[in-house]
Amino acid sequence: MSYEPKIIAFCCNWCSYAAADLAGSSRLQYPPNIRIIRVMCSGMVHPEFILEALNKGADGVMIMGCHLGECHYLDGNHITMARLDMIVELLEDFGFESERLSVTWLSSTEPDKFVKAVTEMTERVKKLGPVQGEVQTA
Amino acid sequence: MGVTTALEALSSCSGCEIAILNLGEALIPLLTEQIDIVHAPILMDHKYYGQCGDGGKSLQIPEAVIGIVSGGVSNEEHIEVLQEMRKKCKVLIALGSCATQGGIPALMNGQDSEQSFDAIFQTLSTDPGAGRPDRIVPKLLDRIYGLDEKVVIDLQLPGCPPNPAHIAEVIMSVLEDREPVLPTKSVCDTCPTRRQGKGVVDTVKRFVENADFDPNKPISDMRCLLEQGFMCMGPVTLAGCAKRGVPACIEARVPCRGCFGSVRPKGNQLLDMMNALASNGIDCMSVVDRRSIQRFCGAHGNLRPKKKSAVKEV
Ligand code: SF4
Ligand code: SF4
Ligand code: SF4
Ligand code: FES
């Protein structure tokens, strides 16, 4: 059986979730591997959410937010950016390849970009394979 | 006759038992009126298989109301003893950071255990060293576990070592059948140092040079060590070490190293600390050897062998 990864996508309400919505209503096709969790802003995705997702069995995590400068809460996605380098580094400390995380900025009118990001991420995680080693249980 | 109490030490250093003894005078009424220690191999002679080995083949830990276990679980003997303690004790207390979150021995979890073993017991220059034992001495587990990863634990009492006052409080709470009153806030919350905003600090450094302070002045005149640019883990660490009104390390003018574990229940000190630094505009990459932030909480999967990225790091 071919390996189908599970990818959690945190989409901000204002742009990226709307883009996902539009992708759906435009009947664009994309891999069914993602599970979207709607958040108000990409800036509220605490690093622990990412770690928790991977710990609990996700194979990859996507964060999607508005274009820089277009965040509904002004600088939410800048905070996401500020944390990003740190999370990428830390993922390896916690035993995950840093490629298991991706970040995409898109506006609500870019469903094609959403589809592209999801397709690419699915490919990427497929190559990595399932999370190896011990997964936190507690 | 007091309430029966059994003590066990697993992967531990006996510092936690010393902390019990450090109750000092308060220990005397506790021992003479409140509790009755029925089993404590680390403090008093009591054998598992009868005093002369005549007690059969199964562990003999007497029944007790209170069970106190220090140290984490690192080998098969520890599991056996811990499970027996769980069976025999009504209330099981995890004593010390080793028991609650792995503690110092769980630093091992950050690297491959077979590699560590070879590194310790073999040398390049001499004869081949010992193989990994799996008989006679108990077999090592794949990693070090906190007690609650193996059995149900009723009360957690972290600290390396724990605060004697809290040990008494936990025991008394069991005797009085109520919830123990223990700190829930962070070390910073109990820290009297002067805080005036982070100012120009945008990196944190290791504690290889002394903090800036006047030894003749009280701690409350010293500026917060994090604000001085040192890696102080007070913000993410559970309070409890301030025995004389100042967190123990800060009293010695040294940054907090996080020994009480995460202030958030089941939190992750490394993640929380780095997140706090990043959100405050401090360059996280300036933290040298950041995995050592988990030095007291390597169980629960918090420390794992490092996974290298498939792409080359820049
Ligand atoms: S918590 Fe500290 S004092 Fe207690 S056994 Fe572990 S290392 Fe020793
Ligand atoms: S960071 Fe350290 S020195 Fe500063 S208040 Fe917290 S515990 Fe005290
Ligand atoms: S200051 Fe931090 S490291 Fe020092 S005793 Fe207190 S909790 Fe432990
Ligand atoms: S609202 Fe979309 S990133 Fe902040």
Side-chain angles (χ1 to χ4, degrees), chain B residues 278-299:
Chain B
S279 310
N280 276 295
I282 292 175
D283 177 16
C284 289
M285 296 309 127
S286 67
V287 179
V288 186
D289 189 19
R290 60 173 179 272
R291 268 152 61 99
S292 69
I293 289 180
Q294 306 283 50
R295 60 176 78 80
F296 288 101
C297 54

Side-chain angles (χ1 to χ4, degrees), chain B residues 17 29-30 32 34 41 57 74 76 100 112 117 126 149 164 172 183 206 215 219 232 260 265 279 282 294 296 309:
Chain B
E17 283 72 20
L30 197 66
T32 51
Q34 313 277 17
K57 289 261 179 233
S74 70
E76 286 178 347
T100 56
D112 182 76
F117 195 91
T126 58
E149 292 181 277
M172 289 316 288
R206 282 182 130 173
I219 305 283
C232 184
F260 271 63
S279 310
I282 292 175
Q294 306 283 50
F296 288 101
S309 166

Side-chain angles (χ1 to χ4, degrees), chain B:
Chain B
M1 269 287 279
V3 169
T4 47
T5 304
L7 273 69
E8 262 300 346
L10 307 180
S11 188
S12 83
C13 76
S14 80
C16 283
E17 283 72 20
I18 303 292
I20 300 180
L21 302 182
N22 272 349
L23 270 168
E25 299 255 311
L27 188 62
I28 297 169
L30 197 66
L31 281 181
T32 51
E33 291 155 30
Q34 313 277 17
I35 62 169
D36 186 14
I37 298 182
V38 292
H39 171 83
I42 206 161
L43 293 177
M44 32 194 251
D45 185 24
H46 191 260
K47 306 270 194 288
Y48 289 135
Y49 303 106
Q51 223 43 25
C52 306
D54 50 357
K57 289 261 179 233
S58 54
L59 277 183
Q60 290 182 349
I61 294 176
E63 304 238 336
V65 176
I66 302 178
I68 302 177
V69 182
S70 72
V73 180
S74 70
N75 66 33
E76 286 178 347
E77 181 192 0
H78 294 154
I79 295 195
E80 197 181 337
V81 171
L82 179 61
Q83 286 173 342
E84 191 64 16
M85 283 291 281
R86 179 68 274 185
K87 259 188 234 151
K88 295 294 175 64
C89 305
K90 277 216 186 78
V91 182
L92 200 57
I93 302 168
L95 179 67
S97 296
C98 290
T100 56
Q101 64 248 357
I104 294 292
L107 275 173
M108 275 271 277
N109 292 353
Q111 59 207 55
D112 182 76
S113 68
E114 305 209 331
Q115 266 175 18
S116 314
F117 195 91
D118 292 345
I120 294 164
F121 289 98
Q122 303 195 348
T123 57
L124 290 175
S125 54
T126 58
D127 295 340
R132 288 174 216 120
D134 57 1
R135 281 176 306 131
I136 307 178
V137 292
K139 192 169 184 292
L140 286 178
L141 303 177
D142 58 330
R143 66 166 174 91
I144 316 267
Y145 294 81
L147 300 187
D148 64 342
E149 292 181 277
K150 293 291 175 193
V151 299
V152 175
I153 294 293
D154 302 305
L155 289 163
Q156 304 269 15
L157 191 50
C160 182
N163 186 338
H166 298 163
I167 301 178
E169 164 62 14
V170 162
I171 294 176
M172 289 316 288
S173 76
V174 176
L175 298 179
E176 292 165 5
D177 197 19
R178 59 172 171 85
E179 288 288 311
V181 182
L182 296 172
T184 52
K185 293 192 171 163
S186 72
V187 170
C188 292
D189 196 62
T190 60
C191 181
T193 55
R194 194 159 44 80
R195 272 149 277 185
Q196 52 196 64
K198 84 176 169 66
V200 293
V201 172
D202 56 4
T203 55
V204 287
K205 52 191 175 193
R206 282 182 130 173
F207 196 65
V208 286
E209 59 195 86
N210 232 343
D212 182 25
F213 65 89
D214 181 344
N216 299 314
K217 294 212 176 124
I219 305 283
S220 52
D221 278 0
M222 177 172 77
R223 184 151 185 211
C224 161
L225 295 174
L226 196 55
E227 289 184 11
Q228 290 192 33
F230 294 107
M231 181 67 201
C232 184
M233 287 179 59
V236 297
T237 304
L238 182 66
C241 62
K243 285 171 234 166
R244 288 174 291 268
V246 182
C249 296
I250 309 300
E251 192 180 17
R253 320 248 182 192
V254 168
C256 170
R257 297 176 68 78
C259 80
F260 271 63
S262 171
V263 57
R264 281 191 308 128
K266 291 199 198 285
N268 184 322
Q269 282 169 298
L270 173 56
L271 200 63
D272 289 348
M273 191 72 213
M274 298 297 271
N275 190 40
L277 294 179
S279 310
N280 276 295
I282 292 175
D283 177 16
C284 289
M285 296 309 127
S286 67
V287 179
V288 186
D289 189 19
R290 60 173 179 272
R291 268 152 61 99
S292 69
I293 289 180
Q294 306 283 50
R295 60 176 78 80
F296 288 101
C297 54
H300 300 101
N302 280 341
L303 263 183
R304 310 173 198 182
K306 194 162 178 163
K307 181 144 290 173
K308 267 283 162 223
S309 166
V311 269
K312 232 173 147 271
E313 278 184 274
V314 274

Side-chain angles (χ1 to χ4, degrees), chain A:
Chain A
M1 201 185 84
S2 72
Y3 158 67
E4 290 298 335
K6 247 191 238 114
I7 298 169
I8 301 293
F10 292 102
C11 292
C12 83
N13 186 45
W14 303 103
C15 288
S16 47
Y17 191 83
D21 220 16
L22 191 56
S25 45
S26 321
R27 309 205 170 231
L28 297 180
Q29 298 293 315
Y30 59 87
N33 302 69
I34 67 158
R35 314 284 189 272
I36 296 179
I37 296 178
R38 175 157 60 162
V39 292
M40 288 315 282
C41 173
S42 68
M44 65 160 285
V45 180
H46 189 280
E48 187 145 67
F49 295 1
I50 299 164
L51 199 65
E52 176 99 349
L54 294 170
N55 275 332
K56 292 268 164 77
D59 303 296
V61 175
M62 303 181 75
I63 301 177
M64 294 195 250
C66 317
H67 283 293
L68 291 174
E70 291 175 10
C71 169
H72 202 73
Y73 305 98
L74 304 179
D75 62 351
N77 45 16
H78 282 277
I79 292 178
T80 311
M81 284 271 282
R83 288 182 182 142
L84 203 63
D85 289 346
M86 162 219 132
I87 303 172
V88 165
E89 282 273 322
L90 286 196
L91 279 183
E92 292 177 8
D93 290 349
F94 290 116
F96 300 107
E97 296 88 346
S98 55
E99 294 93 328
R100 291 192 188 275
L101 174 69
S102 79
V103 176
T104 314
W105 311 126
L106 64 170
S107 84
S108 53
T109 54
E110 296 176 318
D112 44 329
K113 206 171 162 198
F114 171 84
V115 169
K116 189 162 165 264
V118 172
T119 314
E120 277 174 10
M121 183 62 175
T122 309
E123 290 298 309
R124 172 147 64 140
V125 176
K126 263 192 187 158
K127 276 203 200 99
L128 286 173
V131 171
Q132 295 290 324
E134 185 197 18
V135 169
Q136 189 176 352
T137 45

